[in-house]
């Protein structure tokens, strides 16, 4: 776990990576750099399977167990904890939020379905988080474009679209927006949402 502390923290954001990468992901780094100025201490959490040097993520139940295992260290600071993750990490955050007493969920690049298989929806995980949830999704994410997300009951989740971005929030050069602008839209959107949580 790598901490990026706020000077006067009011919240903790614990955020984990996906099945294909680690805490060096561009969106996780950007949030860790930006949010402490907004009173949010950020903990970038390397999943146990990555720490052990394994190349493939284990089954969802094992991922959930790993998240449960680190939760006491996150809650020990006595501040409300936002449970977050990108891709597979977002699914873990949604599945465990209510059980762990998360204050909210930040779901980055939520994998709504496997690429090319919209019939295999994971919307129930997102809708079942049970706490305020923000989804940040690339406009061209093959795991689910923003227009594919179900209409949610009021207060279930909010969604920020990162125009032209893929699953890793990379934007093509022809997009008319720079990579830096895409990351700014993520950090600004998340900071605004965090401020609304109270």
């Amino acid at each position: 776990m790598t901490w990026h502390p706020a000077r006067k923290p009011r919240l903790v954001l614990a955020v984990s990576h996906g099945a294909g990468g680690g805490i060096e992901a561009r969106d996780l780094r950007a949030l860790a750099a930006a949010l402490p100025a907004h009173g949010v201490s950020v903990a970038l959490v390397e999943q146990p399977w990555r720490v052990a040097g394994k190349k493939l993520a284990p089954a969802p139940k094992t991922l959930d167990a790993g998240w449960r295992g680190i939760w006491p260290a996150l809650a020990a600071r006595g501040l409300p904890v936002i449970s977050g993750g990108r891709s597979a990490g977002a699914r873990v955050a949604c599945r465990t939020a209510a059980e762990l007493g998360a204050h909210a969920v930040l779901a980055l690049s939520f994998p709504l379905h496997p690429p090319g298989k919209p019939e295999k929806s994971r919307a129930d995980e997102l809708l079942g988080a049970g706490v305020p949830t923000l989804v940040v999704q690339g406009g061209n994410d093959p795991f689910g474009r923003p227009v594919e997300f179900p209409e949610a009951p009021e207060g279930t989740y909010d969604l920020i679209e990162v125009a032209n971005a893929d699953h890793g929030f990379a934007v093509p050069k022809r997009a008319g927006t720079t990579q830096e602008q895409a990351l700014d839209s993520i950090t600004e959107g998340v900071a605004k949402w965090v401020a609304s949580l109270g």
Side-chain angles (χ1 to χ4, degrees):
M1 199 173 336
T2 306
W3 284 93
H4 298 265
R7 187 172 293 159
K8 292 184 180 176
R10 61 183 193 83
L11 293 166
V12 169
L13 169 63
V15 66
S16 187
H17 53 82
I23 59 173
E24 69 281 353
R26 62 171 59 88
D27 50 331
L28 302 186
R29 286 195 325 261
L31 289 168
L35 290 182
H38 298 274
V40 181
S41 289
V42 179
L44 298 181
V45 181
E46 196 92 38
Q47 284 276 357
W49 62 272
R50 286 270 302 195
V51 174
K54 296 184 177 161
K55 303 280 188 222
L56 295 173
K61 284 184 183 178
T62 305
L63 291 175
D64 292 357
W67 196 240
R68 287 184 195 102
I70 59 97
W71 195 261
L74 300 166
R77 299 190 171 213
L79 296 169
V81 181
I82 300 168
S83 186
R86 73 164 347 275
S87 195
R91 293 181 66 195
V92 172
C94 288
R95 287 192 302 258
T96 61
E99 165 199 343
L100 295 173
H103 188 60
V105 166
L106 175 61
L108 303 159
S109 296
F110 186 85
L112 185 63
H113 57 72
K117 297 180 178 177
E119 72 281 1
K120 295 193 173 185
S121 176
R122 299 168 180 140
D124 58 330
E125 292 179 358
L126 176 63
L127 297 173
V131 295
T133 300
L134 177 66
V135 177
V136 182
Q137 201 76 6
N140 290 327
D141 191 331
F143 288 84
R145 296 185 330 275
V147 296
E148 296 179 73
F149 278 72
E151 200 165 309
E154 182 75 28
T156 308
Y157 71 90
D158 296 308
L159 192 145
I160 293 173
E161 177 174 347
V162 182
N164 304 304
D166 65 12
H167 193 59
F169 295 120
V171 292
K173 289 188 175 158
R174 67 182 186 285
T177 55
T178 66
Q179 189 64 62
E180 189 173 307
Q181 289 170 322
L183 291 173
D184 285 347
S185 73
I186 294 169
T187 57
E188 288 165 14
V190 172
K192 185 176 177 185
W193 173 72
V194 164
S196 77
L197 292 174

